[in-house]
Amino acid sequence: MKVTVKNLGVLKHAEFEVGGLTIICGANNTGKTYATYALYGFMAFWNQNFMPDLLEKDTIEKLIVNGNIRIDLENIKKKSNEVITEACKEFLPNLPMVFAAPDKYFESACFSISLDSAKIKVIEEYDKFASPGDKRVLNVVKKHGENFLDVNILTEIEKEKRVWLKHIVNSHLLDVVFGNTFTIPFIASAERTGAAIFHKELDFSRNRLLEHMSNNKNDRDPLTLLNRFFDKGYALPVNRDVDFIRDFEGVSKEESIIARDNPGIMESFGDILGGEYKVTKEALYFVPSNKNVKLKIGESASSVRSLLDIGLYIRHKAKPGDILMIDEPELNLHPANQRRMARLLAKLVNAGVKVFITTHSDYILKEFNTLIMLRRGGAATTRVIEEYGYDKKELLDAVNVRAYIAQEAHLKTEDDKRARKRHTFVQAPIGEYGIDIESFDETINTMNDIQRELVFGD
């Protein structure tokens, strides 16, 4: 999946491909977060608001007359780029909401996704019912190994429900064909530390809205209420952070497939955290390892707060096929824990979670490089794994990694007669020795040169 953004924030034109592990690094104010938020916003839009018509003209009539239909999924896949183009077009007006910024900043922005339809992997097995009331009305089935979706009416449907029927069939088709490609994303924004502390205070707007609606029954126009009570000061990913943490009690009732099937992942997270989170009906707590104490989140270290939503996601929500997006995973972490974070993210990738990060951390990148080199095998690899305690489940295949540097580079767009320096993404080379990010090495080498001059210059 290749993403292209134009005229988005400082980014004039940038392209990046989403891999098993996607890394965007670079200096401050170079567009990393803009690209991340745009991709997150699109995937959230796709899963919550996008509903194309994927059916042939007479499909619903045939379903009503015959009681069942069989849809060829290969024909739907052939339309995939048309469908994605339509989704990108419908998504564009949502950019101001995604970024909580005025419309004028996005008047010339473009966002597009291209995808090889041959690489779309439809869901292997699917068996769901549609129940608008108390009874099951529709059964939608895809059997393993087949490339068809069978839709069966289970009870008589009134004529006025034909629009509903069309919507439901399209919804299931979208799930089956594109569910593995556009999964529901989870994002940990760079503002997550504040969200962990102030999630209760940020709930005041919602409380005021409910109070207003109960006291003013004649004043319930949706747009008026949204404009009055919805806080436009927070970007969509930040709002999602707050909502996720706010629902900690509900979230904690589940156990994620990733945590259940990969206990080593939770152990790795516990090593970074230095303890564990405890959830009660009243509050969230942090319990440090080997200490008989229970701290409220607001009383805990900044690292505990910055890891909260990531920890809750891994323990209670994560599943193979997910996309986990983290803006600056190194936030508030000691260099040793930044290395541990890289190893944790690699374990998640190998467990089937796609990981997308922006980072300024040389420690994280160099640890990724170590994990790539360790996968080569050989006597040295075996010795290092044993001596330094690496786990084979955290070794990285370079083929699954994509890395980009957000920077200025000479770029010729359709509006330019010649190449000009523009903010863009430059793909970083990745080989058997890992990812080559020159800008980090240049900074470190400059510091070393200065210190050598100071030590030996006289």
Side-chain angles (χ1 to χ4, degrees), residues 391-421:
D391 185 338
K392 291 185 178 180
K393 292 183 179 180
E394 60 197 21
L395 308 188
L396 279 174
D397 186 348
V399 172
N400 295 327
V401 181
R402 302 289 183 273
Y404 299 87
I405 309 163
Q407 63 181 42
E408 281 191 308
H410 281 92
L411 183 70
K412 188 177 185 299
T413 69
E414 59 268 25
D415 300 325
D416 297 323
K417 293 183 179 179
R418 57 185 179 81
R420 298 172 59 188
K421 258 199 166 183

PDB file of all heavy atoms in Angstrom, residues 391-421:
ATOM      1  N   ASP A 391      15.874 -12.629  21.887  1.00  0.00           N
ATOM      2  CA  ASP A 391      14.867 -13.646  21.621  1.00  0.00           C
ATOM      3  C   ASP A 391      14.705 -13.772  20.113  1.00  0.00           C
ATOM      4  O   ASP A 391      14.604 -12.757  19.406  1.00  0.00           O
ATOM      5  CB  ASP A 391      13.541 -13.222  22.280  1.00  0.00           C
ATOM      6  CG  ASP A 391      12.453 -14.286  22.159  1.00  0.00           C
ATOM      7  OD1 ASP A 391      12.523 -15.137  21.259  1.00  0.00           O
ATOM      8  OD2 ASP A 391      11.509 -14.238  22.970  1.00  0.00           O
ATOM      9  N   LYS A 392      14.668 -14.985  19.598  1.00  0.00           N
ATOM     10  CA  LYS A 392      14.528 -15.168  18.151  1.00  0.00           C
ATOM     11  C   LYS A 392      13.214 -14.599  17.621  1.00  0.00           C
ATOM     12  O   LYS A 392      13.091 -14.308  16.427  1.00  0.00           O
ATOM     13  CB  LYS A 392      14.650 -16.644  17.801  1.00  0.00           C
ATOM     14  CG  LYS A 392      16.069 -17.186  18.000  1.00  0.00           C
ATOM     15  CD  LYS A 392      16.205 -18.612  17.536  1.00  0.00           C
ATOM     16  CE  LYS A 392      17.648 -19.101  17.716  1.00  0.00           C
ATOM     17  NZ  LYS A 392      17.810 -20.502  17.271  1.00  0.00           N
ATOM     18  N   LYS A 393      12.222 -14.405  18.514  1.00  0.00           N
ATOM     19  CA  LYS A 393      10.934 -13.850  18.099  1.00  0.00           C
ATOM     20  C   LYS A 393      11.001 -12.346  17.856  1.00  0.00           C
ATOM     21  O   LYS A 393      10.014 -11.752  17.421  1.00  0.00           O
ATOM     22  CB  LYS A 393       9.863 -14.160  19.144  1.00  0.00           C
ATOM     23  CG  LYS A 393       9.507 -15.630  19.233  1.00  0.00           C
ATOM     24  CD  LYS A 393       8.391 -15.866  20.236  1.00  0.00           C
ATOM     25  CE  LYS A 393       8.019 -17.344  20.289  1.00  0.00           C
ATOM     26  NZ  LYS A 393       6.935 -17.588  21.272  1.00  0.00           N
ATOM     27  N   GLU A 394      12.142 -11.732  18.157  1.00  0.00           N
ATOM     28  CA  GLU A 394      12.256 -10.287  17.932  1.00  0.00           C
ATOM     29  C   GLU A 394      13.228  -9.948  16.805  1.00  0.00           C
ATOM     30  O   GLU A 394      13.509  -8.774  16.561  1.00  0.00           O
ATOM     31  CB  GLU A 394      12.672  -9.577  19.232  1.00  0.00           C
ATOM     32  CG  GLU A 394      14.000 -10.017  19.802  1.00  0.00           C
ATOM     33  CD  GLU A 394      14.178  -9.604  21.255  1.00  0.00           C
ATOM     34  OE1 GLU A 394      13.172  -9.351  21.924  1.00  0.00           O
ATOM     35  OE2 GLU A 394      15.337  -9.545  21.711  1.00  0.00           O
ATOM     36  N   LEU A 395      13.726 -10.944  16.098  1.00  0.00           N
ATOM     37  CA  LEU A 395      14.626 -10.675  14.977  1.00  0.00           C
ATOM     38  C   LEU A 395      13.823 -10.192  13.775  1.00  0.00           C
ATOM     39  O   LEU A 395      12.735 -10.690  13.490  1.00  0.00           O
ATOM     40  CB  LEU A 395      15.421 -11.937  14.619  1.00  0.00           C
ATOM     41  CG  LEU A 395      16.163 -12.615  15.785  1.00  0.00           C
ATOM     42  CD1 LEU A 395      17.066 -13.727  15.265  1.00  0.00           C
ATOM     43  CD2 LEU A 395      16.958 -11.597  16.588  1.00  0.00           C
ATOM     44  N   LEU A 396      14.347  -9.201  13.057  1.00  0.00           N
ATOM     45  CA  LEU A 396      13.599  -8.538  11.988  1.00  0.00           C
ATOM     46  C   LEU A 396      14.062  -8.958  10.596  1.00  0.00           C
ATOM     47  O   LEU A 396      15.263  -9.033  10.334  1.00  0.00           O
ATOM     48  CB  LEU A 396      13.751  -7.022  12.110  1.00  0.00           C
ATOM     49  CG  LEU A 396      12.863  -6.294  13.112  1.00  0.00           C
ATOM     50  CD1 LEU A 396      13.276  -4.821  13.185  1.00  0.00           C
ATOM     51  CD2 LEU A 396      11.397  -6.413  12.737  1.00  0.00           C
ATOM     52  N   ASP A 397      13.100  -9.198   9.729  1.00  0.00           N
ATOM     53  CA  ASP A 397      13.380  -9.439   8.320  1.00  0.00           C
ATOM     54  C   ASP A 397      13.370  -8.093   7.602  1.00  0.00           C
ATOM     55  O   ASP A 397      12.352  -7.388   7.576  1.00  0.00           O
ATOM     56  CB  ASP A 397      12.313 -10.366   7.737  1.00  0.00           C
ATOM     57  CG  ASP A 397      12.623 -10.785   6.305  1.00  0.00           C
ATOM     58  OD1 ASP A 397      13.528 -10.184   5.688  1.00  0.00           O
ATOM     59  OD2 ASP A 397      11.952 -11.712   5.806  1.00  0.00           O
ATOM     60  N   ALA A 398      14.499  -7.696   7.018  1.00  0.00           N
ATOM     61  CA  ALA A 398      14.617  -6.398   6.354  1.00  0.00           C
ATOM     62  C   ALA A 398      13.594  -6.219   5.237  1.00  0.00           C
ATOM     63  O   ALA A 398      13.195  -5.093   4.927  1.00  0.00           O
ATOM     64  CB  ALA A 398      16.035  -6.233   5.791  1.00  0.00           C
ATOM     65  N   VAL A 399      13.131  -7.318   4.664  1.00  0.00           N
ATOM     66  CA  VAL A 399      12.149  -7.247   3.572  1.00  0.00           C
ATOM     67  C   VAL A 399      10.844  -6.611   4.047  1.00  0.00           C
ATOM     68  O   VAL A 399      10.139  -5.961   3.271  1.00  0.00           O
ATOM     69  CB  VAL A 399      11.874  -8.667   3.012  1.00  0.00           C
ATOM     70  CG1 VAL A 399      10.733  -8.647   2.014  1.00  0.00           C
ATOM     71  CG2 VAL A 399      13.134  -9.233   2.369  1.00  0.00           C
ATOM     72  N   ASN A 400      10.532  -6.779   5.332  1.00  0.00           N
ATOM     73  CA  ASN A 400       9.267  -6.268   5.877  1.00  0.00           C
ATOM     74  C   ASN A 400       9.384  -4.848   6.439  1.00  0.00           C
ATOM     75  O   ASN A 400       8.425  -4.328   7.006  1.00  0.00           O
ATOM     76  CB  ASN A 400       8.750  -7.199   6.979  1.00  0.00           C
ATOM     77  CG  ASN A 400       8.378  -8.561   6.445  1.00  0.00           C
ATOM     78  OD1 ASN A 400       7.913  -8.685   5.311  1.00  0.00           O
ATOM     79  ND2 ASN A 400       8.589  -9.595   7.244  1.00  0.00           N
ATOM     80  N   VAL A 401      10.566  -4.242   6.311  1.00  0.00           N
ATOM     81  CA  VAL A 401      10.802  -2.929   6.921  1.00  0.00           C
ATOM     82  C   VAL A 401      10.838  -1.846   5.842  1.00  0.00           C
ATOM     83  O   VAL A 401      11.448  -2.028   4.782  1.00  0.00           O
ATOM     84  CB  VAL A 401      12.131  -2.923   7.712  1.00  0.00           C
ATOM     85  CG1 VAL A 401      12.366  -1.554   8.359  1.00  0.00           C
ATOM     86  CG2 VAL A 401      12.119  -4.022   8.787  1.00  0.00           C
ATOM     87  N   ARG A 402      10.195  -0.718   6.132  1.00  0.00           N
ATOM     88  CA  ARG A 402      10.259   0.472   5.278  1.00  0.00           C
ATOM     89  C   ARG A 402      10.681   1.646   6.158  1.00  0.00           C
ATOM     90  O   ARG A 402      10.130   1.841   7.240  1.00  0.00           O
ATOM     91  CB  ARG A 402       8.908   0.787   4.633  1.00  0.00           C
ATOM     92  CG  ARG A 402       8.328  -0.336   3.793  1.00  0.00           C
ATOM     93  CD  ARG A 402       9.096  -0.531   2.494  1.00  0.00           C
ATOM     94  NE  ARG A 402       8.484  -1.564   1.666  1.00  0.00           N
ATOM     95  CZ  ARG A 402       8.743  -2.860   1.759  1.00  0.00           C
ATOM     96  NH1 ARG A 402       9.617  -3.284   2.669  1.00  0.00           N
ATOM     97  NH2 ARG A 402       8.153  -3.737   0.961  1.00  0.00           N
ATOM     98  N   ALA A 403      11.651   2.428   5.686  1.00  0.00           N
ATOM     99  CA  ALA A 403      12.127   3.574   6.472  1.00  0.00           C
ATOM    100  C   ALA A 403      12.249   4.799   5.569  1.00  0.00           C
ATOM    101  O   ALA A 403      12.692   4.699   4.419  1.00  0.00           O
ATOM    102  CB  ALA A 403      13.473   3.256   7.114  1.00  0.00           C
ATOM    103  N   TYR A 404      11.862   5.949   6.118  1.00  0.00           N
ATOM    104  CA  TYR A 404      11.869   7.189   5.356  1.00  0.00           C
ATOM    105  C   TYR A 404      12.420   8.325   6.211  1.00  0.00           C
ATOM    106  O   TYR A 404      12.232   8.347   7.428  1.00  0.00           O
ATOM    107  CB  TYR A 404      10.448   7.547   4.885  1.00  0.00           C
ATOM    108  CG  TYR A 404       9.852   6.497   3.994  1.00  0.00           C
ATOM    109  CD1 TYR A 404       9.159   5.415   4.541  1.00  0.00           C
ATOM    110  CD2 TYR A 404      10.004   6.555   2.615  1.00  0.00           C
ATOM    111  CE1 TYR A 404       8.633   4.419   3.730  1.00  0.00           C
ATOM    112  CE2 TYR A 404       9.474   5.569   1.789  1.00  0.00           C
ATOM    113  CZ  TYR A 404       8.791   4.500   2.363  1.00  0.00           C
ATOM    114  OH  TYR A 404       8.283   3.509   1.543  1.00  0.00           O
ATOM    115  N   ILE A 405      13.107   9.256   5.530  1.00  0.00           N
ATOM    116  CA  ILE A 405      13.647  10.433   6.208  1.00  0.00           C
ATOM    117  C   ILE A 405      12.842  11.643   5.727  1.00  0.00           C
ATOM    118  O   ILE A 405      12.778  11.915   4.525  1.00  0.00           O
ATOM    119  CB  ILE A 405      15.136  10.632   5.875  1.00  0.00           C
ATOM    120  CG1 ILE A 405      15.922   9.347   6.116  1.00  0.00           C
ATOM    121  CG2 ILE A 405      15.711  11.787   6.695  1.00  0.00           C
ATOM    122  CD1 ILE A 405      17.273   9.309   5.456  1.00  0.00           C
ATOM    123  N   ALA A 406      12.237  12.336   6.685  1.00  0.00           N
ATOM    124  CA  ALA A 406      11.522  13.573   6.354  1.00  0.00           C
ATOM    125  C   ALA A 406      12.542  14.698   6.297  1.00  0.00           C
ATOM    126  O   ALA A 406      13.188  15.027   7.293  1.00  0.00           O
ATOM    127  CB  ALA A 406      10.465  13.855   7.416  1.00  0.00           C
ATOM    128  N   GLN A 407      12.718  15.283   5.119  1.00  0.00           N
ATOM    129  CA  GLN A 407      13.742  16.306   4.953  1.00  0.00           C
ATOM    130  C   GLN A 407      13.466  17.123   3.687  1.00  0.00           C
ATOM    131  O   GLN A 407      12.554  16.818   2.924  1.00  0.00           O
ATOM    132  CB  GLN A 407      15.117  15.659   4.845  1.00  0.00           C
ATOM    133  CG  GLN A 407      15.268  14.763   3.619  1.00  0.00           C
ATOM    134  CD  GLN A 407      16.630  14.103   3.534  1.00  0.00           C
ATOM    135  OE1 GLN A 407      17.161  13.635   4.530  1.00  0.00           O
ATOM    136  NE2 GLN A 407      17.184  14.067   2.341  1.00  0.00           N
ATOM    137  N   GLU A 408      14.247  18.152   3.490  1.00  0.00           N
ATOM    138  CA  GLU A 408      14.176  18.900   2.239  1.00  0.00           C
ATOM    139  C   GLU A 408      15.026  18.197   1.185  1.00  0.00           C
ATOM    140  O   GLU A 408      16.130  17.739   1.472  1.00  0.00           O
ATOM    141  CB  GLU A 408      14.667  20.332   2.441  1.00  0.00           C
ATOM    142  CG  GLU A 408      13.641  21.247   3.085  1.00  0.00           C
ATOM    143  CD  GLU A 408      14.058  22.696   3.031  1.00  0.00           C
ATOM    144  OE1 GLU A 408      15.189  22.997   3.446  1.00  0.00           O
ATOM    145  OE2 GLU A 408      13.266  23.525   2.561  1.00  0.00           O
ATOM    146  N   ALA A 409      14.498  18.117  -0.013  1.00  0.00           N
ATOM    147  CA  ALA A 409      15.238  17.496  -1.116  1.00  0.00           C
ATOM    148  C   ALA A 409      14.775  18.137  -2.414  1.00  0.00           C
ATOM    149  O   ALA A 409      13.692  18.726  -2.487  1.00  0.00           O
ATOM    150  CB  ALA A 409      15.001  15.989  -1.138  1.00  0.00           C
ATOM    151  N   HIS A 410      15.599  18.041  -3.433  1.00  0.00           N
ATOM    152  CA  HIS A 410      15.224  18.595  -4.736  1.00  0.00           C
ATOM    153  C   HIS A 410      14.100  17.753  -5.328  1.00  0.00           C
ATOM    154  O   HIS A 410      14.216  16.532  -5.462  1.00  0.00           O
ATOM    155  CB  HIS A 410      16.437  18.633  -5.669  1.00  0.00           C
ATOM    156  CG  HIS A 410      17.352  19.791  -5.389  1.00  0.00           C
ATOM    157  ND1 HIS A 410      18.429  19.687  -4.532  1.00  0.00           N
ATOM    158  CD2 HIS A 410      17.320  21.086  -5.824  1.00  0.00           C
ATOM    159  CE1 HIS A 410      19.035  20.866  -4.459  1.00  0.00           C
ATOM    160  NE2 HIS A 410      18.388  21.727  -5.226  1.00  0.00           N
ATOM    161  N   LEU A 411      13.029  18.455  -5.659  1.00  0.00           N
ATOM    162  CA  LEU A 411      11.810  17.773  -6.061  1.00  0.00           C
ATOM    163  C   LEU A 411      11.150  18.556  -7.185  1.00  0.00           C
ATOM    164  O   LEU A 411      11.024  19.779  -7.112  1.00  0.00           O
ATOM    165  CB  LEU A 411      10.870  17.693  -4.848  1.00  0.00           C
ATOM    166  CG  LEU A 411       9.551  16.955  -5.000  1.00  0.00           C
ATOM    167  CD1 LEU A 411       9.796  15.453  -5.126  1.00  0.00           C
ATOM    168  CD2 LEU A 411       8.663  17.228  -3.782  1.00  0.00           C
ATOM    169  N   LYS A 412      10.729  17.858  -8.214  1.00  0.00           N
ATOM    170  CA  LYS A 412      10.014  18.502  -9.323  1.00  0.00           C
ATOM    171  C   LYS A 412       8.575  18.013  -9.306  1.00  0.00           C
ATOM    172  O   LYS A 412       8.309  16.825  -9.464  1.00  0.00           O
ATOM    173  CB  LYS A 412      10.668  18.176 -10.656  1.00  0.00           C
ATOM    174  CG  LYS A 412      10.080  18.978 -11.828  1.00  0.00           C
ATOM    175  CD  LYS A 412      10.827  18.648 -13.113  1.00  0.00           C
ATOM    176  CE  LYS A 412      10.327  19.525 -14.266  1.00  0.00           C
ATOM    177  NZ  LYS A 412       8.891  19.315 -14.555  1.00  0.00           N
ATOM    178  N   THR A 413       7.638  18.928  -9.077  1.00  0.00           N
ATOM    179  CA  THR A 413       6.224  18.581  -9.068  1.00  0.00           C
ATOM    180  C   THR A 413       5.587  19.037 -10.370  1.00  0.00           C
ATOM    181  O   THR A 413       6.222  19.684 -11.213  1.00  0.00           O
ATOM    182  CB  THR A 413       5.506  19.267  -7.886  1.00  0.00           C
ATOM    183  OG1 THR A 413       5.455  20.680  -8.129  1.00  0.00           O
ATOM    184  CG2 THR A 413       6.244  19.013  -6.583  1.00  0.00           C
ATOM    185  N   GLU A 414       4.300  18.712 -10.535  1.00  0.00           N
ATOM    186  CA  GLU A 414       3.600  19.105 -11.756  1.00  0.00           C
ATOM    187  C   GLU A 414       3.473  20.631 -11.885  1.00  0.00           C
ATOM    188  O   GLU A 414       3.199  21.148 -12.975  1.00  0.00           O
ATOM    189  CB  GLU A 414       2.211  18.454 -11.812  1.00  0.00           C
ATOM    190  CG  GLU A 414       1.297  18.789 -10.661  1.00  0.00           C
ATOM    191  CD  GLU A 414       1.395  17.784  -9.525  1.00  0.00           C
ATOM    192  OE1 GLU A 414       2.436  17.117  -9.387  1.00  0.00           O
ATOM    193  OE2 GLU A 414       0.412  17.671  -8.780  1.00  0.00           O
ATOM    194  N   ASP A 415       3.647  21.338 -10.743  1.00  0.00           N
ATOM    195  CA  ASP A 415       3.550  22.800 -10.762  1.00  0.00           C
ATOM    196  C   ASP A 415       4.890  23.489 -11.037  1.00  0.00           C
ATOM    197  O   ASP A 415       4.937  24.713 -11.185  1.00  0.00           O
ATOM    198  CB  ASP A 415       3.010  23.308  -9.418  1.00  0.00           C
ATOM    199  CG  ASP A 415       1.631  22.747  -9.110  1.00  0.00           C
ATOM    200  OD1 ASP A 415       0.852  22.569 -10.062  1.00  0.00           O
ATOM    201  OD2 ASP A 415       1.340  22.481  -7.929  1.00  0.00           O
ATOM    202  N   ASP A 416       5.962  22.694 -11.065  1.00  0.00           N
ATOM    203  CA  ASP A 416       7.299  23.273 -11.203  1.00  0.00           C
ATOM    204  C   ASP A 416       7.855  23.043 -12.609  1.00  0.00           C
ATOM    205  O   ASP A 416       7.669  21.979 -13.207  1.00  0.00           O
ATOM    206  CB  ASP A 416       8.262  22.646 -10.185  1.00  0.00           C
ATOM    207  CG  ASP A 416       7.854  22.934  -8.754  1.00  0.00           C
ATOM    208  OD1 ASP A 416       7.371  24.051  -8.495  1.00  0.00           O
ATOM    209  OD2 ASP A 416       8.012  22.035  -7.903  1.00  0.00           O
ATOM    210  N   LYS A 417       8.573  24.047 -13.117  1.00  0.00           N
ATOM    211  CA  LYS A 417       9.278  23.880 -14.395  1.00  0.00           C
ATOM    212  C   LYS A 417      10.622  23.196 -14.185  1.00  0.00           C
ATOM    213  O   LYS A 417      11.167  22.577 -15.083  1.00  0.00           O
ATOM    214  CB  LYS A 417       9.468  25.249 -15.056  1.00  0.00           C
ATOM    215  CG  LYS A 417       8.167  25.891 -15.510  1.00  0.00           C
ATOM    216  CD  LYS A 417       8.420  27.219 -16.221  1.00  0.00           C
ATOM    217  CE  LYS A 417       7.113  27.843 -16.696  1.00  0.00           C
ATOM    218  NZ  LYS A 417       7.326  29.146 -17.381  1.00  0.00           N
ATOM    219  N   ARG A 418      11.171  23.329 -12.968  1.00  0.00           N
ATOM    220  CA  ARG A 418      12.437  22.653 -12.644  1.00  0.00           C
ATOM    221  C   ARG A 418      12.399  22.215 -11.177  1.00  0.00           C
ATOM    222  O   ARG A 418      11.568  22.674 -10.391  1.00  0.00           O
ATOM    223  CB  ARG A 418      13.625  23.585 -12.881  1.00  0.00           C
ATOM    224  CG  ARG A 418      13.571  24.887 -12.112  1.00  0.00           C
ATOM    225  CD  ARG A 418      14.719  25.820 -12.501  1.00  0.00           C
ATOM    226  NE  ARG A 418      14.672  27.085 -11.799  1.00  0.00           N
ATOM    227  CZ  ARG A 418      15.112  27.286 -10.567  1.00  0.00           C
ATOM    228  NH1 ARG A 418      15.652  26.276  -9.877  1.00  0.00           N
ATOM    229  NH2 ARG A 418      15.029  28.477 -10.005  1.00  0.00           N
ATOM    230  N   ALA A 419      13.288  21.339 -10.832  1.00  0.00           N
ATOM    231  CA  ALA A 419      13.332  20.821  -9.466  1.00  0.00           C
ATOM    232  C   ALA A 419      13.670  21.928  -8.473  1.00  0.00           C
ATOM    233  O   ALA A 419      14.527  22.768  -8.738  1.00  0.00           O
ATOM    234  CB  ALA A 419      14.359  19.695  -9.370  1.00  0.00           C
ATOM    235  N   ARG A 420      12.964  21.914  -7.355  1.00  0.00           N
ATOM    236  CA  ARG A 420      13.217  22.886  -6.290  1.00  0.00           C
ATOM    237  C   ARG A 420      13.312  22.143  -4.971  1.00  0.00           C
ATOM    238  O   ARG A 420      12.822  21.020  -4.835  1.00  0.00           O
ATOM    239  CB  ARG A 420      12.072  23.898  -6.228  1.00  0.00           C
ATOM    240  CG  ARG A 420      11.902  24.716  -7.492  1.00  0.00           C
ATOM    241  CD  ARG A 420      10.626  25.549  -7.440  1.00  0.00           C
ATOM    242  NE  ARG A 420      10.628  26.458  -6.309  1.00  0.00           N
ATOM    243  CZ  ARG A 420       9.578  27.190  -5.951  1.00  0.00           C
ATOM    244  NH1 ARG A 420       8.454  27.095  -6.636  1.00  0.00           N
ATOM    245  NH2 ARG A 420       9.646  28.011  -4.928  1.00  0.00           N
ATOM    246  N   LYS A 421      13.948  22.790  -3.985  1.00  0.00           N
ATOM    247  CA  LYS A 421      14.030  22.166  -2.667  1.00  0.00           C
ATOM    248  C   LYS A 421      12.667  22.213  -1.994  1.00  0.00           C
ATOM    249  O   LYS A 421      12.092  23.284  -1.804  1.00  0.00           O
ATOM    250  CB  LYS A 421      15.078  22.870  -1.806  1.00  0.00           C
ATOM    251  CG  LYS A 421      16.388  22.110  -1.711  1.00  0.00           C
ATOM    252  CD  LYS A 421      17.216  22.555  -0.529  1.00  0.00           C
ATOM    253  CE  LYS A 421      18.326  21.543  -0.271  1.00  0.00           C
ATOM    254  NZ  LYS A 421      19.118  21.906   0.921  1.00  0.00           N
TER     255      LYS A 421
END
